């Protein structure tokens, strides 16, 4: 390997081949035993690992800082299949967000832990939004031929009373089907 030494004799940089593993590596400092960047015989690139298991492997955390073009210059990645449309995934204000083709909202996780599907500003623990006129927003579907369980179950630890609702299905702002915490059911009321 080659070592680059400054005028005071300090080894600042090493690069070369480790033939016993084998890999080509680069390291800040002396020696090639633990390079910061390694390329194996298959062409796989490892960052903080000498045994990359895919075209690019990161042995520790991968930090991505501000990228222009998605999320207003916030940190993110673009997942793209050649020249086809891409998924953008980025972090902003403590949240994590995704978008397809730079227009279609994917999912989001807010700083408070709320999850949004089709919504970047999730206001509940699970906030699902759809603007389609031709498909269901949420589908609970069990295809088991011998299924004997529950398809949808909502549970609360609160004592049964009328101060809360277990379920409230609405059309716009009008309750169409209401199940109160005391078990009473209202239809169209």
């Amino acid at each position: 390997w080659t070592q680059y030494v400054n005028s005071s004799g300090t080894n600042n940089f090493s690069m070369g081949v480790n033939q016993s593993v084998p890999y080509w590596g680069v390291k800040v400092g002396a020696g090639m035993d633990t390079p910061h960047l390694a390329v194996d015989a298959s062409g796989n690139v490892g960052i903080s690992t000498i045994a990359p298991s895919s075209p690019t492997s990161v042995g520790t955390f991968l930090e991505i800082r501000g990228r222009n073009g998605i999320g207003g210059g916030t940190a993110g990645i673009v997942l793209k299949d050649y020249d086809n449309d891409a998924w953008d995934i980025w972090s902003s204000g403590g949240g994590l967000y995704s978008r397809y083709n730079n227009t279609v909202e994917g999912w989001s996780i807010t700083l408070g832990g709320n999850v949004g599907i089709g919504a970047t500003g999730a206001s509940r623990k699970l906030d699902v939004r759809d603007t389609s006129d031709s498909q269901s927003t949420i589908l609970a579907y069990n295809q088991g031929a011998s299924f004997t369980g529950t398809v949808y179950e909502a549970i609360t630890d609160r004592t049964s009373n009328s101060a809360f609702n277990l379920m409230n299905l609405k059309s716009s702002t009008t309750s169409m089907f209401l199940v109160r915490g005391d078990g009473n059911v209202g239809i169209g009321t």
Side-chain angles (χ1 to χ4, degrees):
W1 72 84
T2 303
Q3 298 184 53
Y4 296 90
V5 180
N6 66 17
S7 60
S8 64
T10 303
N11 187 333
N12 288 337
F13 178 70
S14 301
M15 68 179 211
V17 176
N18 180 323
Q19 293 181 354
S20 63
V21 174
Y23 62 81
W24 176 86
V26 176
K27 178 180 180 180
V28 176
M32 291 305 299
D33 52 337
T34 55
H36 297 104
L37 176 77
V39 180
D40 72 8
S42 300
N44 293 342
V45 176
I47 300 171
S48 295
T49 178
I50 60 170
S53 57
S54 62
T56 304
S57 294
V58 179
T60 58
F61 288 100
L62 174 64
E63 180 178 349
I64 300 173
R65 293 187 181 249
R67 179 189 186 287
N68 292 327
I70 62 173
T74 58
I77 60 174
V78 175
L79 304 174
K80 191 168 185 139
D81 178 17
Y82 295 100
D83 292 327
N84 298 324
D85 295 332
W87 276 97
D88 301 333
I89 302 172
W90 73 96
S91 175
S92 179
L96 187 61
Y97 304 92
S98 76
R99 178 174 51 220
Y100 181 72
N101 196 22
N102 211 25
T103 57
V104 179
E105 298 301 331
W107 49 262
S108 64
I109 304 171
T110 68
L111 181 60
N114 292 346
V115 175
I117 300 173
T120 55
S123 61
R124 306 280 190 281
K125 286 299 175 190
L126 178 60
D127 188 342
V128 180
R129 300 181 193 194
D130 185 13
T131 58
S132 171
D133 292 330
S134 62
Q135 65 184 9
S136 302
T137 300
I138 298 175
L139 175 64
Y141 181 28
N142 182 293
Q143 294 180 301
S146 306
F147 179 69
T148 59
T150 302
V151 173
Y152 176 78
E153 185 171 29
I155 300 172
T156 181
D157 289 334
R158 187 166 178 180
T159 304
S160 175
N161 65 52
S162 63
F164 69 98
N165 299 325
L166 282 174
M167 180 177 6
N168 190 1
L169 303 179
K170 295 180 176 184
S171 175
S172 187
T173 59
T174 304
S175 288
M176 304 305 287
F177 184 81
L178 175 69
V179 180
R180 288 193 338 202
D182 59 5
N184 289 341
V185 176
I187 299 175
T189 60

